[in-house]
Amino acid sequence: VEMMEMVQEDMASEIKSGQEEDAENQALYEKDFKALNELLETQETKEISLNKQLAELQGEIQSMTDTSSAKTDEHASELQEKANLAVNCDWIKTQFGERRQKRKDEIDGLVSAKG
């Protein structure tokens, strides 16, 4: 009978210590779980923030790309205008001497006709 009481006491002691260990382990688990959830929330907030920054940067890149394209088009237009003006300027350069001589002859003719 005494032996049975000892076994019963040992069993009760083991059950009690097992329950205490389970309670400690449960508390540690809940603490770790809470910390991981907080970390997850922080990471999700950071992801949202980074995605927002990424969207803003992509918008800026698109704006700069559009501006660059517009500037490139404007530059090409100015080069075309310069080429068109060059044709007119080249004609004036080649014809200027001859036209000056004709004007001079015309003025001399008018002066001699006048008097």
Side-chain angles (χ1 to χ4, degrees), residues 22-72:
D22 283 348
E24 289 175 17
N25 288 337
Q26 183 67 29
L28 287 174
Y29 167 78
E30 289 173 5
K31 179 182 171 186
D32 289 345
F33 185 76
K34 182 180 177 185
L36 287 173
N37 276 336
E38 289 173 358
L39 178 63
L40 177 63
E41 288 176 15
T42 302
Q43 293 295 328
E44 287 173 343
T45 302
K46 188 174 182 179
E47 179 186 18
I48 290 168
S49 173
L50 289 174
N51 283 336
K52 184 177 178 182
Q53 288 177 354
L54 177 63
E56 290 172 358
L57 287 174
Q58 287 174 336
E60 288 179 25
I61 289 171
Q62 184 62 43
S63 175
M64 288 180 181
T65 301
D66 293 344
T67 301
S68 176
S69 295
K71 295 278 185 190
T72 301

Side-chain angles (χ1 to χ4, degrees), residues 2-111:
E2 231 178 86
M3 189 121 154
M4 292 273 270
E5 288 176 4
M6 267 195 198
V7 169
Q8 186 180 8
E9 287 175 13
D10 285 343
M11 291 288 273
S13 174
E14 284 183 32
I15 289 173
K16 185 177 180 181
S17 68
Q19 288 174 340
E20 289 172 358
E21 285 179 16
D22 283 348
E24 289 175 17
N25 288 337
Q26 183 67 29
L28 287 174
Y29 167 78
E30 289 173 5
K31 179 182 171 186
D32 289 345
F33 185 76
K34 182 180 177 185
L36 287 173
N37 276 336
E38 289 173 358
L39 178 63
L40 177 63
E41 288 176 15
T42 302
Q43 293 295 328
E44 287 173 343
T45 302
K46 188 174 182 179
E47 179 186 18
I48 290 168
S49 173
L50 289 174
N51 283 336
K52 184 177 178 182
Q53 288 177 354
L54 177 63
E56 290 172 358
L57 287 174
Q58 287 174 336
E60 288 179 25
I61 289 171
Q62 184 62 43
S63 175
M64 288 180 181
T65 301
D66 293 344
T67 301
S68 176
S69 295
K71 295 278 185 190
T72 301
D73 293 345
E74 183 179 335
H75 180 67
S77 175
E78 288 177 4
L79 288 177
Q80 181 62 40
E81 185 176 339
K82 183 178 176 182
N84 291 341
L85 289 174
V87 171
N88 292 334
C89 291
D90 288 345
W91 180 83
I92 289 174
K93 284 180 186 177
T94 59
Q95 301 298 319
F96 190 76
E98 182 181 333
R99 291 183 71 209
R100 181 177 7 172
Q101 185 60 44
K102 286 182 181 180
R103 279 194 308 272
K104 185 178 177 192
D105 290 345
E106 182 181 358
I107 289 171
D108 288 344
L110 289 172
V111 168

